[in-house]
Amino acid sequence: MALAHGSLRPARTAGLTLLGLLPVAFLVVFFAWPVVAIVGRGFSAGGVDTVLGDPQTWRLAGFTLGSAAASTVVALVAGLPVAFLLARVRLPGIGLARTIVLIPFVLPTVVVGLAFRALWPDGGVLPLVLANAFFNVAVVARTVSGLWAHLDPRAAEAARALGASPWRAFRTVTLPALAPAVASAAAVVFLFCATSFGVVLILGGGSYRTLETEIYLRTVDLLDLSGAAALSLLQFAAVVAALALGAMARRRRESAVRLRAAQVTARRPQGGQWYVVTAAMVVLGLLLTPIVALLVESVSTPDGWSFAGYRALAGTGANGALQVTGWVAVQNSLAAATDATLLAMAIGVIASVVLVVLRRSPGLLARGAGETMDAALMLPLGVSAVTVGFGYLVTLDALPGDLRTSPMLVPLAQALVIIPLVVRMILPVLRAIDERLRQAAATLGASPLRVWREVDLPLVARSLVAAAGFGFVVALGEFGATSFLARPDAPTLPVAVATLMGRPGELNNQMAYAACALLMLVTVAAVVLIDRFGSAGEF
Amino acid sequence: MIPRTARTVLGLFTVAVLASACSLSGGDTGGSASSEQQEPTLTLVTHDSFVVPQEVLDAFHRQSGITLKILKSGDAGALTNKLVLTKGNPIGDVAYGVDNTFASRALGEGVFQSYTSPEADRGPQRYAVDTQHRLSAVDVGDVCVNVDTGYFAAKGIPAPTSYDELAEPQYKDLMVAESPATASPGLAFLLGTIAKYGENGWQDYWNRLKANGLKIDSGWEEAYTKDFSGSSGKGPRPIVVSYASSPAAELGEDGKPRTKALLDTCFRQVEYAGVLTGSKHVPEAQKVVDFLLSQQFQTTVAANMYVYPTRTGVELPAGWANAAPLPTASATMPADKIQAGREKWIGAWRSLMGA
């Protein structure tokens, strides 16, 4: 049988092109078109050059990039030991650690912002940087551990046997192999931090502003579309630069490495590894602190402990603060997150498969197309949610069914945020699969389908489940994009929390924290279920 | 080989997309064209704070045959701007929540069409903003400085009562307010000081507040629930910019409020409703405006949204008479003056406060 030794026959190229068009079409309709339309309005209004010429604008840009870079470094330093813990360590309670690390990601920004405010009442740069990192440790831990769990440890062991210190073995053998995942995670975290909104607003205390908060202010409050367009342009340029850097880092280090089934590589830590495990535990402890604090807040009243906030969740809150009960909000969240995850997995997996093929193909054109598509898939993370949301308002009525007010809009917007995460989690694993494994299997007479089933799928399965689970959790907690969109009166849990937080009264405050606790609980349940399902598929 | 793999994946995920499309469309409750002939579904675009008991909506449906779909769209500013952006092809039929700080923008852009509700002469007309009757006043709310009465009783110093006293040394480092750039109570408070001290005097007043240790937060949540000592957060500062109705939510064990609004520091916000230009259900949309001004709906606004009804003779919830009376001498400003000055004032405020 003919093997596709990196070469593509025309028919296959056509099929691949069709397949690749699917994610591209999705991005064009639900991202590029709305963004171009709204930014275009700003341009036609004029005055863009004035904003770009203002030194104030460049200070904003500098602060945005600087603080996002700082948060990314903190998230990497905190996330890598946790990634090691999740990927390589077999100890009781690892499953719990896997769950804990995800919780910060779903917490509503207003809650985390207020929790950090309790520690740093005057706000400032430090709590801002730490809070953004707090949200994103999960991205690093999950993305990197996904690849790490599959790395064959024997290369590092060989280096050790040849006399390398554990650190040197890590630095020269393991780290290069992990580089694509680390670079991917760093790019995602940077984009999340550079465009974070609520945290900056609450902890920046009004005096620290970023491009994102300024775009929001000018779009939503001032309707200064040309000012917003100028800033969006700047943000876009910064994002493209960051993506290009990330792609360069990935390209330099990327190589096919030997992947193994995860369970073989996890073992009890030895010697110096205990330091790393301890560091990971410290990080988990720090992540738990605000979580515990808000649990405490949910049961404390001026008159002592009380579960009144939790009991209130069965109803619609004090004076009907919510329009539906807390439980209905849970259902809304689950439904929207399920839709968003299915969509994002469909688009993300197709995109990843296409990207791997393009990358392996010999033509410069194909590889260039691959690089461009790879970067384009990440862009939604780097563009202001308010830009996308307002873009929907001026474009999506042109589609059949006036999507602007459709309940589909929330899952669509959430999917836009999840797709880059799915791609970044699956792609490193797909790319790292040694082509020779496939060729060997094919030589031994396996059909292409069987090769996929026996070689690719087992190696990718866990990452697929992990990506789906992670995407689901992100969708559960997603607030930014959702809240800017015209949406039906079916509040998700984060929206319910924000509503409750915006009202005076003891009970509403407790109820908001109780709703947060509920959000965490739903997250934990989802993660446990998915992880169980994932390991059941393990061989 | 690889494309075949890809085809398998495509097959698998087409199924997934279809499944998700099914569950997505399952969530759409919009009526079909044929059923809309008899039972129209109208969309009410409103702000995030909108709350109405379901039984009131159900009763409206029984009376009028109109099903009302609620579409929340951010705060008053975001709502107004979304309406402006979509004015050619509106996202709903009626909008409620455009307030007097944004009304001029909406009117200037032709977002609303004329309609005088028969209910308007029961009180709402007092707050009329436009001679063509494109907006009907549904509720009023006052932004006032709130104080933690317990704090001042314990310290043995009288609580402040006026703008000027807030700048006095005995209240140094005790007050927190919101930024007018990012929070609507912050903007209302700024407008209140401009109404009081005038175009030439307000900056001087804010300089005095700044020198007296005024803290600025970006949102009401931080200021009220974290920094204010009279709320659930038990923060360090006993003076906060909030609403005249806030004390009604801070009742102690004995049923008496623990906080108080300073009635000489209030600025009035009026929220309006109107029929959107381009609505395909104009007669029904007018009925929705009638509904918002009706006794039935007006009775719900205080308890649910912490605002006061515009209709006269509507009873307030128990306790409001003591804890949260409607201020009688609130400052106000014509909508077109706010529209003309808003951005200039916010800009000046930002450079003055360094925020």
Side-chain angles (χ1 to χ4, degrees):
Chain A
M1 99 156 282
L3 282 177
H5 283 282
S7 67
L8 293 172
R9 293 202 308 232
R12 290 181 176 168
T13 313
L16 188 70
T17 311
L18 274 176
L19 198 58
L21 280 179
L22 216 76
V24 170
F26 182 83
L27 276 183
V28 166
V29 174
F30 293 109
F31 177 68
W33 178 35
V35 169
V36 169
I38 196 81
V39 174
R41 280 190 177 218
F43 267 92
S44 57
V48 167
D49 45 338
T50 327
V51 180
L52 286 180
D54 186 352
Q56 180 79 20
T57 306
W58 295 94
R59 268 202 298 280
L60 272 180
F63 179 75
T64 307
L65 298 183
S67 63
S71 295
T72 308
V73 170
V74 175
L76 281 176
V77 168
L80 285 177
V82 181
F84 172 79
L85 186 79
L86 299 186
R88 279 294 152 97
V89 174
R90 190 184 294 168
L91 282 174
I94 293 298
L96 187 67
R98 194 183 294 282
T99 307
I100 288 174
V101 77
L102 264 187
I103 294 178
F105 212 93
V106 295
L107 292 179
T109 39
V110 54
V111 172
V112 174
L114 292 181
F116 275 74
R117 269 290 299 269
L119 290 169
W120 286 273
D122 290 323
V125 183
L126 181 70
L128 198 158
V129 165
L130 292 181
N132 273 332
F134 170 82
F135 277 113
N136 288 300
V137 171
V139 178
V140 177
R142 283 259 160 173
T143 313
V144 175
S145 74
L147 181 60
W148 205 336
H150 293 292
L151 281 189
D152 193 335
R154 281 176 299 185
E157 278 159 14
R160 292 277 286 125
L162 293 170
S165 68
W167 169 241
R168 191 179 155 92
F170 172 77
R171 204 166 37 91
T172 56
V173 180
T174 311
L175 196 57
L178 288 180
V182 174
S184 285
V188 169
V189 172
F190 181 83
L191 294 186
F192 269 132
C193 294
T195 58
S196 106
F197 173 71
V199 165
V200 179
L201 214 55
I202 295 177
L203 296 171
S207 25
Y208 292 99
R209 293 182 284 137
T210 60
L211 287 173
E212 181 78 13
T213 59
E214 199 65 18
I215 290 171
Y216 181 91
L217 188 72
R218 293 193 188 214
T219 309
V220 170
D221 290 329
L222 307 178
L223 204 63
D224 169 15
L225 290 184
S226 51
L231 297 173
S232 300
L233 209 66
L234 208 57
Q235 194 176 42
F236 193 79
V239 163
V240 169
L243 288 178
L245 280 175
M248 260 161 61
R250 278 201 295 278
R251 209 170 17 237
R252 253 211 330 266
R253 299 301 190 94
E254 198 161 88
S255 55
V257 288
R258 305 186 62 156
L259 296 185
R260 310 257 306 172
Q263 279 164 354
V264 182
T265 64
R267 56 183 62 168
R268 255 185 88 78
Q270 304 160 328
Q273 292 184 335
W274 280 107
Y275 291 113
V276 185
V277 172
T278 310
M281 295 295 182
V282 170
V283 169
L284 289 174
L286 289 174
L287 291 182
L288 270 175
T289 316
I291 296 171
V292 171
L294 84 85
L295 284 177
V296 170
E297 190 128 13
S298 72
V299 290
S300 50
T301 72
D303 317 314
W305 307 109
S306 158
F307 282 101
Y310 290 88
R311 280 196 299 273
L313 282 175
T316 55
N319 296 326
L322 298 178
Q323 217 169 333
V324 297
T325 68
W327 295 109
V328 174
V330 172
Q331 287 171 23
N332 293 339
S333 284
L334 291 175
T338 305
D339 292 340
T341 308
L342 287 172
L343 253 173
M345 285 300 285
I347 307 274
V349 170
I350 292 171
S352 302
V353 169
V354 171
L355 284 177
V356 168
V357 177
L358 284 176
R359 179 140 179 94
R360 291 207 169 119
S361 65
L364 263 179
L365 190 71
R367 241 178 294 168
E371 293 291 339
T372 313
M373 186 171 147
D374 192 341
L377 280 165
M378 297 282 283
L379 286 179
L381 288 188
V383 172
S384 169
V386 65
T387 307
V388 179
F390 272 64
Y392 280 3
L393 283 178
V394 298
T395 51
L396 292 192
D397 58 328
L399 293 182
D402 197 348
L403 280 179
R404 294 175 306 169
T405 58
S406 157
M408 275 177 68
L409 213 52
V410 170
L412 282 172
Q414 290 175 348
L416 217 49
V417 179
I418 310 172
I419 290 169
L421 296 173
V422 170
V423 172
R424 292 272 74 90
M425 288 182 81
I426 295 175
L427 201 56
V429 182
L430 267 184
R431 273 179 176 167
I433 293 173
D434 195 331
E435 187 67 10
R436 284 169 301 181
L437 267 181
R438 287 205 192 92
Q439 290 164 2
T443 313
L444 292 172
S447 70
L449 192 64
R450 179 131 186 234
V451 172
W452 159 256
R453 205 176 61 217
E454 303 284 331
V455 178
D456 297 70
L457 194 61
L459 290 169
V460 180
R462 206 186 158 85
S463 298
L464 282 180
V465 174
F470 195 44
F472 185 76
V473 164
V474 171
L476 271 186
E478 212 287 325
F479 180 67
T482 316
S483 71
F484 300 137
L485 293 176
R487 63 173 185 276
D489 63 334
T492 60
L493 258 181
V495 172
V497 171
T499 307
L500 289 165
M501 278 288 180
R503 296 171 159 262
E506 202 75 52
L507 186 65
N508 281 331
N509 199 54
Q510 281 165 40
M511 203 177 148
Y513 283 104
C516 274
L518 199 61
L519 185 62
M520 292 196 290
L521 203 73
V522 175
T523 309
V524 169
V527 173
V528 167
L529 260 174
I530 287 160
D531 275 350
R532 172 144 306 175
F533 174 71
S535 35
E538 210 80 16
F539 33 90
Chain B
M1 172 178 81
I2 288 155
R4 190 85 75 90
T5 307
R7 234 173 294 154
T8 314
V9 175
L10 179 61
L12 277 173
F13 284 96
T14 310
V15 174
V17 171
L18 288 177
S20 106
C22 289
S23 85
L24 287 169
S25 56
D28 191 352
T29 50
S32 64
S34 61
S35 72
E36 248 174 59
Q37 291 299 317
Q38 294 91 32
E39 296 259 295
T41 296
L42 265 71
T43 303
L44 173 68
V45 196
T46 182
H47 53 54
D48 286 342
S49 313
F50 180 83
V51 183
V52 61
Q54 186 58 44
E55 54 266 27
V56 175
L57 287 183
D58 292 344
F60 175 62
H61 174 72
R62 279 194 304 275
Q63 291 155 16
S64 63
I66 296 170
T67 306
L68 206 52
K69 201 172 121 196
I70 311 294
L71 193 65
K72 296 187 188 179
S73 270
D75 62 9
L79 171 67
T80 310
N81 294 342
K82 284 183 181 181
L83 294 174
V84 168
L85 279 177
T86 58
K87 65 182 175 186
N89 184 10
I91 51 178
D93 305 287
V94 181
Y96 162 44
V98 171
D99 69 8
N100 53 328
T101 61
F102 285 98
S104 277
R105 177 178 291 167
L107 292 175
E109 298 274 354
V111 165
F112 293 101
Q113 50 178 291
S114 297
Y115 173 60
T116 310
S117 169
E119 310 275 348
D121 56 8
R122 310 287 172 88
Q125 231 147 39
R126 286 173 289 171
Y127 306 101
V129 69
D130 130 73
T131 49
Q132 296 171 50
H133 304 288
R134 287 170 294 180
L135 288 173
S136 305
V138 176
D139 70 76
V140 289
D142 279 35
V143 169
C144 313
V145 174
N146 278 214
V147 293
D148 175 2
T149 45
Y151 175 95
F152 290 105
K155 292 269 168 180
I157 45 173
T161 59
S162 67
Y163 282 117
D164 275 323
E165 283 176 17
L166 295 173
E168 283 176 6
Q170 61 174 329
Y171 304 116
K172 191 167 172 60
D173 296 333
L174 297 188
M175 180 173 173
V176 57
E178 299 85 4
S179 162
T182 50
S184 94
L187 177 60
F189 182 63
L190 172 65
L191 295 174
T193 62
I194 294 170
K196 162 93 179 162
Y197 296 100
E199 282 274 10
N200 299 321
W202 69 270
Q203 301 209 25
D204 170 60
Y205 175 67
W206 278 88
N207 271 324
R208 279 155 59 206
L209 284 182
K210 189 181 174 187
N212 210 28
L214 172 70
K215 181 176 183 190
I216 297 295
D217 281 344
S218 52
W220 177 89
E221 287 87 350
E222 302 99 275
Y224 193 81
T225 68
K226 282 292 157 194
D227 282 330
F228 181 46
S229 62
S231 73
S232 50
K234 299 266 163 271
R237 290 176 180 246
I239 308 175
V240 67
V241 171
S242 190
Y243 297 90
S245 57
S246 302
E250 307 293 353
L251 303 179
E253 288 272 270
D254 54 359
K256 287 193 180 135
R258 294 180 289 213
T259 63
K260 191 175 80 178
L262 308 183
L263 299 184
D264 287 337
T265 60
C266 299
F267 184 83
R268 178 145 296 172
Q269 283 181 313
V270 184
E271 293 188 325
Y272 297 92
V275 178
L276 291 169
T277 310
S279 161
K280 290 175 188 70
H281 305 277
V282 174
E284 291 89 355
Q286 294 176 343
K287 278 192 197 139
V288 175
V289 174
D290 297 346
F291 165 63
L292 294 173
L293 300 181
S294 70
Q295 179 83 17
Q296 195 180 22
F297 180 82
Q298 292 274 309
T299 321
T300 71
V301 298
N304 289 288
M305 293 185 275
Y306 291 99
V307 289
Y308 305 85
T310 51
R311 195 183 173 100
T312 47
V314 174
E315 212 170 307
L316 290 176
W320 277 52
N322 279 328
L326 180 64
T328 48
S330 298
T332 179
M333 203 184 276
D336 49 353
K337 191 177 170 203
I338 298 175
Q339 176 66 19
R342 191 196 306 109
E343 275 154 52
K344 179 184 67 184
W345 293 327
I346 291 176
W349 182 91
R350 280 171 97 166
S351 40
L352 186 119
M353 301 298 286

